[in-house]
Amino acid sequence: MTPQVARVLEAASSACSFAELQAAAGPKDRVHFLKTHLEPLLLAGWIERTIPDKPRSSKQKYRLTKKGRQALHEPTGGGR
């Protein structure tokens, strides 16, 4: 697990917006953050959308799942 992924997971411990997650990870480019960090975490089931039916909602937030919490707290950070 990279330091950026760990920071995103820690930030997602409480529901937060895309911008808040991006700020936690550090990348300034939205598309780069989306493709390299957010989408893989969503696909892995480590984070989830608070409004799953409306992924582009302006009120969309992301939160840590049980699987993500386990990955964050495992010594290896593997979670798989």
Side-chain angles (χ1 to χ4, degrees), residues 30-63:
R30 274 181 75 85
V31 175
H32 175 73
F33 173 72
L34 179 65
K35 297 290 182 193
T36 61
H37 293 23
L38 191 61
E39 284 181 354
L41 290 172
L42 286 166
L43 290 172
W46 289 10
I47 61 173
E48 65 185 0
R49 292 180 174 99
T50 57
I51 311 170
D53 298 336
K54 298 181 180 182
R56 293 180 175 249
S57 171
S58 63
K59 300 195 183 340
Q60 186 65 261
K61 296 206 180 233
Y62 301 87
R63 64 180 165 226

Side-chain angles (χ1 to χ4, degrees), residues 7-30:
R7 289 195 302 263
V8 169
L9 293 177
E10 288 170 6
S13 293
S14 60
C16 54
S17 68
F18 179 93
E20 291 168 325
L21 291 179
Q22 184 179 359
K28 304 261 187 268
D29 185 310
R30 274 181 75 85

